[in-house]
Amino acid sequence: MGTTIKCIGILTSGGDAPGMNAAIRAVTRAAIYNGLSVKGIYRGYKGLVTGEIKEFKSQNVSNIIQQGGTILKTARCKEFMTPEGRQLAYDNMKKEGIDALVVIGGDGSLSGARIFAQEFDVPCIGLPGTIDNDLYGTDTTIGYDTALNTIIDAVDKIRDTATSHERLFFVEVMGRDAGFLALNGAIASGAEAAIIPEDSTDVDQLEEFIKNGFRKSKSSSIVLVAESGKTGGAMHYAERVKNEYPQYDVRVTILGHLQRGGSPTAHDRILASRLGAAAIDAIMEGQRNVMVGIENDQVVYVPFAKAIKNDKPINRELVNVLRELSI
Ligand code: F6P
């Protein structure tokens, strides 16, 4: 399949993630390399609705591969959720001569791209950009590895004070309704347990942790809690322990938005670079309405519907590894 596409628009949407800039750079440079022109759309879909669009040359993306955040800014745009807003977005796209869109973001952003593509028959390519790692069809998402490294840096520091005071810490991490950051953050920081939404329906994870010998052989413990409403968050577990086990000295740390910042790791820079180049390959091949992912080190194209709707499963082996190694 060939393509008649001459100009692509690129935007970042939803929560920012380290490596988004590396992806913007890769998409821009790969597009120019392949003879396409590029327009940067500011503030996510909002910029498409309001026409905040600027031509991008190779030098517009110089010196950004190492920067966290997104030079295009980002937003969660309510207007784009309405048919009127999307019509304005389409009109601006046509006015600017943009033939196809590359959207970098999480599942909300890709859902927006999916609807837009269906309504106006516009080719859209999605790149998975979120620290949550909750998109199906890619082993990891852009920003996830950096956020994990930020978490382990923080937990290493918390462990110093937890050990000195012989305390039990509940550390809340982001991830929306996914437990990837909590589970892998717990393994990588040597935490005693992780409380994740994927497990919350069938077991009382706090009871499990206590039953399995919490603080029997250790004078301090760290439990990572996914922020999800399904787990109730770190405060919920701290309150429970204070009431049910008043002998323990409990503290809570909520890591919050510091998990979203910082210079991307080598993994995220390489992932973003590969995905950005692959997005342009996809466009040149005439692909449309797919997310580009990497599975088993191979580039894959995943239909939006599959990437968004399928719950990405937690690897149960990791749950067992954490349990075995935290004795
Ligand atoms: O989706 C990324 C994410 O950081 C989630 O982990 C978190 O729940 C959410 O965004 C926070 O969003 P906001 O920055 O709008 O508060």
Side-chain angles (χ1 to χ4, degrees):
M1 248 195 300
T3 176
T4 53
I5 291 166
K6 291 190 173 57
C7 174
I8 61 143
I10 175 170
L11 62 86
T12 49
S13 161
D16 62 346
M20 278 184 163
N21 281 327
I24 295 168
R25 171 182 179 271
V27 170
T28 303
R29 296 245 164 116
I32 293 169
Y33 182 86
N34 283 283
L36 303 176
S37 60
V38 181
K39 298 219 166 154
I41 300 159
Y42 284 82
R43 299 181 171 78
Y45 292 115
K46 198 169 172 208
L48 207 52
V49 173
T50 59
E52 220 184 326
I53 299 169
K54 172 175 145 183
E55 172 129 30
F56 262 31
K57 300 286 186 201
S58 185
Q59 57 272 26
N60 288 97
V61 294
S62 295
N63 199 22
I64 64 167
I65 194 169
Q66 77 283 17
Q67 290 174 24
T70 160
I71 60 159
L72 285 173
K73 317 286 183 198
T74 185
R76 304 189 202 271
C77 176
K78 289 210 174 74
E79 248 188 303
F80 194 74
M81 291 176 188
T82 67
E84 297 76 23
R86 290 193 292 275
Q87 181 65 55
L88 283 173
Y90 180 72
D91 294 344
N92 278 325
M93 223 181 125
K94 289 293 109 186
K95 197 166 107 199
E96 292 284 341
I98 298 172
D99 306 308
L101 277 185
V102 177
V103 174
I104 307 168
D107 69 342
S109 311
L110 301 194
S111 301
R114 183 180 174 217
I115 297 171
F116 191 58
Q118 279 168 353
E119 275 178 357
F120 296 99
D121 196 24
V122 169
C124 291
I125 301 294
L127 294 189
T130 167
I131 65 165
D132 301 339
N133 197 33
D134 58 351
L135 285 164
Y136 185 86
T138 189
D139 290 338
T140 60
T141 54
I142 298 165
Y144 169 64
D145 184 67
T146 308
L148 258 186
N149 279 286
T150 300
I151 289 169
I152 67 170
D153 267 5
V155 174
D156 287 351
K157 290 181 175 125
I158 290 168
R159 188 173 291 287
D160 290 343
T161 178
T163 311
S164 305
H165 286 267
E166 303 187 289
R167 282 175 169 158
L168 165 60
F169 266 84
F170 288 98
V171 180
E172 184 175 300
V173 300
M174 280 186 166
R176 224 160 37 122
D177 281 326
F180 296 99
L181 286 171
L183 180 58
N184 282 309
I187 293 175
S189 61
E192 277 60 41
I195 294 178
I196 57 174
E198 289 83 351
D199 265 350
S200 63
T201 46
D202 50 349
V203 279
D204 182 331
Q205 295 175 75
L206 184 67
E207 283 304 324
E208 183 108 318
F209 166 55
I210 288 165
K211 201 175 71 209
N212 289 342
F214 134 69
R215 297 196 93 191
K216 285 225 174 88
S217 59
K218 299 182 182 185
S219 64
S220 67
S221 289
I222 295 179
V223 178
L224 262 63
V225 185
E227 66 176 351
S228 164
K230 288 188 201 155
T231 65
M235 293 303 279
H236 165 75
Y237 287 94
E239 284 312 311
R240 270 192 62 187
V241 172
K242 277 182 198 163
N243 291 330
E244 296 169 33
Y245 307 92
Q247 66 275 33
Y248 298 132
D249 193 7
V250 181
R251 291 291 186 277
V252 169
T253 303
I254 296 175
L255 293 185
H257 285 80
L258 70 83
Q259 294 162 93
R260 288 241 294 263
S263 179
T265 57
H267 174 93
D268 278 333
R269 295 180 196 198
I270 294 166
L271 176 68
S273 300
R274 289 182 70 187
L275 290 177
I280 299 305
D281 289 342
I283 286 173
M284 301 304 285
E285 283 170 24
Q287 291 277 349
R288 48 204 292 152
N289 314 334
V290 293
M291 182 193 86
V292 184
I294 292 188
E295 283 188 317
N296 301 320
D297 207 30
Q298 300 296 316
V299 169
V300 290
Y301 302 140
V302 193
F304 281 147
K306 223 172 154 188
I308 299 157
K309 290 264 179 276
N310 282 24
D311 274 345
K312 187 173 182 175
I314 283 281
N315 182 348
R316 304 305 305 182
E317 181 217 324
L318 297 174
V319 175
N320 291 336
V321 166
L322 177 62
R323 188 175 297 135
E324 283 183 25
L325 303 189
S326 62
I327 53 174

